[in-house]
Amino acid sequence: MNGQEWLAEQFETNRSHLRSVAYRMLGSVNEADDAVQETWLRLSRSDTREVENLAGWLTTVIARVCLDLLRSRKSRREESLDSEVNQLTSDGQPDPEEEALLADSVGLALLVVLDTLTPAERLAFVLHDTFAVSFDEIGRIVGRTPAAARQLASRARRRVQGVTSVPSEDLRRQRDVVDAFLTALRAGDFEGLLAVLDPDVIVHLDPGAGRPGTPTEIRGARNWAQGAIAFSRSARFVEAVLVNGSVGLVLAPHGRLLRALSFKIDGEKIVEVDIIARPDRLNQLDLGIVE
């Protein structure tokens, strides 16, 4: 076996790990596969004869590749995502591989919150908290001191956990109501939606949050439920998260935040909904994982 064949064998041994790192960093199957391929290209062009820990070396390389992709992604945030929403509502056949990844230990909600972090924060959190990479190594990847890398991970961890002043009992009640709403939405259950909506519910929508011609305010449970049913097929990309300290929902294909729903709940009923679609408003949201 020559040197190139040995490298290829070692790379295949680490491929699953590298794909896992990349997916958590990027939240996209296609981008993760691109990052893995770029890592192989860099390995094949590198002199690794003095590398003692090839798995660690590969983890560092793919982390740097992902960091570059995240920075590039942040610079393209202004592009319109309407076509992506339309595709979700018309495509009833999810990618089985992607669905399996979204259902694994990563979780859609975590991917959504990770997507609100800076590239350096996301890298520090994922590498340290999930893959136990040292802050010394993380610091070298992001060009910071180990102490600064530790602060990046700590700041990211606080964002992931979310901040709320709502008592836990109220949060549990909110979660029950929101879960009931989401269950009905995923099932296309009109009566189930009516059961959790106040008859006089008021729904505020950002321009572009609904189909063309949708008004920016809808009143009445029946009126809104009829429109909401049309989005039931895309509800597989909807997950409960903390939205500004209360339980809400996000629409986030591939972990990329497209819409957020903030609820006002009275007792067991949703009485007001704010559907947020404008990029400037989405960027200002404080999102966190619902325990």
Side-chain angles (χ1 to χ4, degrees):
M1 180 183 297
N2 62 37
Q4 197 70 8
E5 290 174 339
W6 182 84
L7 282 178
E9 182 181 272
Q10 294 303 306
F11 185 81
E12 288 305 316
T13 299
N14 287 279
R15 179 184 289 274
S16 177
H17 165 73
L18 296 174
R19 199 164 188 259
S20 182
V21 172
Y23 184 70
R24 284 164 174 78
M25 286 286 296
L26 301 169
S28 162
V29 173
N30 290 336
E31 286 186 321
D33 286 341
D34 289 344
V36 171
Q37 180 62 23
E38 175 61 24
T39 301
W40 161 247
L41 292 175
R42 295 191 186 189
L43 172 64
S44 64
R45 297 193 297 258
S46 300
D47 183 355
T48 58
R49 287 175 294 182
E50 296 185 4
V51 174
E52 296 181 359
N53 180 359
L54 187 61
W57 186 91
L58 288 169
T59 299
T60 297
V61 171
I62 201 164
R64 287 186 170 129
V65 171
C66 291
L67 185 61
D68 289 342
L69 288 171
L70 287 172
R71 286 169 172 165
S72 174
R73 178 192 295 175
K74 289 293 183 182
S75 70
R76 294 184 278 107
R77 278 297 197 192
E78 297 304 318
E79 65 188 55
S80 173
L81 295 171
D82 288 343
S83 61
E84 195 167 348
V85 176
N86 292 335
Q87 182 180 3
L88 291 177
T89 59
S90 62
D91 178 12
Q93 299 298 324
D95 182 329
E97 181 182 28
E98 187 161 25
E99 287 295 298
L101 281 169
L102 289 174
D104 75 0
S105 60
V106 181
L108 176 60
L110 177 57
L111 289 175
V112 174
V113 180
L114 289 178
D115 203 42
T116 69
L117 306 177
T118 68
E121 288 172 343
R122 183 166 185 165
L123 182 144
F125 176 81
V126 169
L127 290 188
H128 181 266
D129 285 39
T130 304
F131 298 100
V133 177
S134 72
F135 287 121
D136 286 345
E137 184 58 38
I138 293 171
R140 283 192 288 271
I141 294 171
V142 298
R144 311 273 185 99
T145 65
R150 184 185 296 274
Q151 285 299 314
L152 287 171
S154 178
R155 190 158 58 240
R157 200 175 299 115
R158 289 195 298 271
R159 292 285 300 277
V160 169
Q161 292 171 349
V163 177
T164 181
S165 60
V166 179
S168 58
E169 186 173 326
D170 286 346
L171 279 181
R172 284 193 293 271
R173 177 177 55 82
Q174 291 177 13
R175 180 65 188 265
D176 289 343
V177 174
V178 172
D179 280 350
F181 173 87
L182 181 55
T183 298
L185 180 65
R186 286 174 172 164
D189 180 0
F190 181 76
E191 295 300 326
L193 289 175
L194 294 183
V196 294
L197 295 174
D198 185 270
D200 299 317
V201 65
I202 302 174
V203 182
H204 307 282
L205 301 91
D206 276 352
R211 295 183 179 278
T214 301
T216 57
E217 182 176 287
I218 299 173
R219 291 177 176 266
R222 289 187 171 274
N223 292 332
W224 186 46
Q226 289 172 349
I229 289 294
F231 287 89
S232 60
R233 284 191 295 181
S234 65
R236 67 181 183 271
F237 297 111
V238 176
E239 192 66 55
V241 301
L242 289 176
V243 179
N244 292 336
S246 297
V247 181
L249 294 174
V250 290
L251 169 63
H254 325 304
R256 306 285 293 279
L257 180 62
L258 300 185
R259 302 285 186 269
L261 280 71
S262 175
F263 297 104
K264 182 178 179 181
I265 297 172
D266 184 7
E268 306 301 322
K269 299 286 187 178
I270 296 170
V271 298
E272 192 168 347
V273 185
D274 187 10
I275 303 179
I276 302 165
R278 280 175 22 208
D280 60 321
R281 295 190 67 202
L282 290 172
N283 289 336
Q284 292 172 0
L285 294 176
D286 181 11
L287 304 179
I289 300 298
V290 180
E291 295 296 336

